Amino acid sequence: MNMKDFSLEGKIAWITGASYGIGFAIAEAYAAAGATVVFNDINQELVNKGLAAYAEKGIPARGYVCDVTDESAVNELVAKVEKEVGVIDILVNNAGIIKRIPMCEMSAADFRKVIDVDLNAPFICSKAVIPAMIQKGHGKIINICSMMSELGRETVSAYAAAKGGLKMLTRNICSEYGEHNIQCNGIGPGYIETPQTAPLRERQPNGSRHPFDQFIISKTPAARWGKTEDLQGPAVFLASDASNFVNGHVLYVDGGILAYIGKQP
Ligand code: NAP
Ligand code: GCO
């Protein structure tokens, strides 16, 4: 066992939707492990916000405007990165949205939008990078799944359907391209403190914790929300040579919530 197997030196990593949040934290960890970081976001304002944040951390990240649901834009981005930076070794399909609406009140358009970003886009981005990974003789694809790849809950039907599909897309990329030394795995974060979950943690007018906040605390053995830093080590492991025989797996980084029935009220 050589600890250099955990290094990402010389690797080019593209993390989608990584101006902030989980994607930013993963990109930060990859830079610390030696990778060249490439990220995209949906508009120039967010890309500039991300570039400033990476610069503040001393990370020379490359940022591109790209809507990951737009296949021609994704293919243009990959071609540009290959020309300006090099062939992508690691893809993290991180960009994602959620719409919390009771299913029977959700429009088909809203349902399709969530599926488009959270499931179709990882297909599009993976399809764009796999051919060059095959030519290069290796590749890593990491799909940011969710506890909702395993469980449902009220108001997140589209998100759970997308993340459940993303778990199976992960397994299928493993099945179809494992022989080309491409490993495709998922990370399933638990409940993490990011802008996406901020509405679930808002303090109540009387200063008390949000009921959902208290619920998650009671359902998590770690008795806390996750932080984006909690995902960094697992993400480096799945991007590194240390995980070359790990394929088609979803690594849950959830403080134990999926293993626990929950604290008795
Ligand atoms: P976030 O704070 O909402 O960040 C998501 C990022 O993706 C934002 O920069 C967002 O840009 C970008 N994005 C959205 N749609 C895009 C598109 N079409 N093209 C390009 N970029 C796009 O979310 P997060 O909490 O960091 O979550 C990141 C990933 O982890 C998501 O896939 C999420 O489902 C997953 N996840 C989160 C948690 C959690 O508890 N936070 C748990 C499990 C899984 P905008 O600002 O324009 O939306
Ligand atoms: C929700 C949350 C979750 C988290 C995450 C859990 O509304 O239930 O947003 O979906 O984002 O996906 O793993």
Side-chain angles (χ1 to χ4, degrees):
M1 167 69 197
N2 185 332
M3 289 310 288
K4 284 186 180 171
D5 289 348
F6 288 89
S7 169
L8 302 184
E9 283 295 341
K11 298 287 175 60
I12 296 168
W14 172 30
I15 304 94
T16 68
S19 293
Y20 58 88
I22 288 172
F24 182 88
I26 289 175
E28 189 183 5
Y30 285 6
T36 298
V37 165
V38 170
F39 75 101
N40 71 290
D41 224 308
I42 203 158
N43 59 47
Q44 193 59 54
E45 184 188 352
L46 275 171
V47 169
N48 293 342
K49 172 184 172 183
L51 287 170
Y54 287 112
E56 202 175 305
K57 298 269 186 179
I59 298 169
R62 301 271 190 132
Y64 299 84
V65 176
C66 177
D67 176 345
V68 290
T69 65
D70 179 341
E71 187 166 23
S72 57
V74 166
N75 291 332
E76 281 167 27
L77 182 155
V78 170
K80 199 168 185 185
V81 170
E82 288 181 356
K83 185 177 171 198
E84 296 176 358
V85 189
V87 170
I88 292 164
D89 301 289
I90 302 158
L91 165 65
V92 180
N93 285 307
N94 166 77
I97 62 170
I98 191 167
K99 291 183 186 291
R100 299 183 182 95
I101 306 167
M103 192 179 111
C104 291
E105 296 167 29
M106 179 179 257
S107 68
D110 273 342
F111 189 93
R112 286 193 186 98
K113 180 63 182 169
V114 175
I115 297 291
D116 208 17
V117 179
D118 295 6
L119 180 56
N120 293 344
F123 160 76
I124 289 168
C125 294
S126 302
K127 198 172 83 158
V129 300
I130 284 171
M133 288 179 171
I134 292 173
Q135 279 192 330
K136 202 168 185 181
H138 67 254
K140 296 280 187 181
I141 297 174
I142 294 145
N143 292 322
I144 306 300
C145 297
S146 161
M147 280 178 45
M148 273 56 208
S149 298
E150 305 293 340
L151 301 172
R153 85 172 185 85
E154 300 77 9
T155 75
V156 295
S157 58
Y159 185 83
K163 294 297 188 180
L166 187 55
K167 175 176 77 172
M168 288 315 300
L169 178 63
T170 299
R171 290 180 178 170
N172 215 74
I173 293 171
C174 152
S175 307
E176 207 163 341
Y177 298 102
E179 67 179 324
H180 298 289
N181 192 29
I182 292 172
Q183 291 84 46
C184 181
N185 291 287
I187 288 178
Y191 280 82
I192 310 293
E193 293 176 346
T194 73
Q196 191 246 50
T197 54
L200 305 174
R201 289 178 280 107
E202 276 169 2
R203 284 278 169 185
Q204 303 300 284
N206 65 7
S208 64
R209 300 182 83 140
H210 190 293
F212 196 88
D213 182 356
Q214 298 178 63
F215 170 67
I216 291 303
I217 299 293
S218 73
K219 290 283 284 179
T220 308
R224 67 173 175 89
W225 283 70
K227 299 190 177 306
T228 56
E229 292 79 7
D230 291 319
L231 299 163
Q232 291 181 316
V236 169
F237 166 64
L238 288 177
S240 74
D241 289 339
S243 62
N244 283 352
F245 204 57
V246 177
N247 213 347
H249 182 75
V250 177
L251 176 56
Y252 287 97
V253 185
D254 65 358
I257 195 171
L258 278 175
Y260 184 40
I261 194 170
K263 191 175 288 300
Q264 185 181 348

